[in-house]
Amino acid sequence: MKNTQYRPAGAGTEGVRAVHRCRVEWSDTDASGHYHNTAVVRFVEAAEAALVRERGLVGYFGAAPRVRYEADFTAPLWFQQEVTTVLTVERVGTSSMTFGFEVWGEEIDGRPRQLAAAGRYTVVHVPQGAERNSAPWPAAWITALTPAQG
């Protein structure tokens, strides 16, 4: 079950969001059926990839390396549990961008919905062929990642 929704968040303080849904697969777990921390990174990256495709950011992949990543792991996820990942563009700078994320484990086997992980990460724009120096984001990308003012 995979489903991604996109919607601009409220004007002002929140950015553009992606909501990605999937299930914890066996390959995401250890022998006890509890998820690996790397699965959270994969869920977040799936939401980012879907957001980038939906927003039409051609050339983003390979040009936006991560320079900082932080996460707080707060509850386990279990094999076959539905997971909802919310990714929000928190800030678009001249050549950097910060995403915030929440990964929620949906109700399973009598366990209530719980926040499994939350954090943020920053990417920088390093166009392919550049000598690993950051450069300003293309204007079209800034427009695509900035909430419409209404």
Side-chain angles (χ1 to χ4, degrees):
M1 172 181 131
K2 289 188 178 180
N3 180 25
T4 306
Q5 298 173 301
Y6 309 92
R7 61 177 185 247
T13 60
E14 292 188 45
V16 173
R17 294 176 13 146
V19 178
H20 177 77
R21 292 183 175 83
C22 63
R23 284 190 188 272
V24 176
E25 300 297 335
W26 189 246
S27 60
D28 298 326
T29 68
D30 61 17
S32 70
H34 178 271
Y35 79 105
H36 294 291
N37 292 348
T38 56
V40 166
V41 174
R42 189 175 59 76
F43 301 150
V44 171
E45 288 181 347
E48 178 186 5
L51 177 91
V52 164
R53 283 191 303 272
E54 174 68 20
R55 296 288 172 164
L57 306 182
V58 176
Y60 177 89
F61 299 110
R66 283 151 185 71
V67 295
R68 179 170 175 79
Y69 198 100
E70 60 185 60
D72 294 317
F73 297 94
T74 56
L77 295 171
W78 302 97
F79 175 59
Q80 288 297 291
Q81 187 172 13
E82 291 182 22
V83 176
T84 301
T85 302
V86 180
L87 180 76
T88 303
V89 177
E90 291 185 343
R91 180 184 174 280
V92 178
T94 301
S95 63
S96 67
M97 179 169 26
T98 301
F99 293 94
F101 64 86
E102 294 179 344
V103 177
W104 290 86
E106 300 301 336
E107 182 178 344
I108 186 170
D109 298 331
R111 295 181 185 115
R113 182 180 200 248
Q114 287 187 306
L115 180 66
R120 66 185 27 84
Y121 63 98
T122 301
V123 299
V124 295
H125 181 230
V126 180
Q128 291 188 10
E131 295 186 22
R132 302 306 295 165
N133 294 319
S134 65
W137 295 110
W141 293 12
I142 293 171
T143 299
L145 295 168
T146 304
Q149 302 298 315

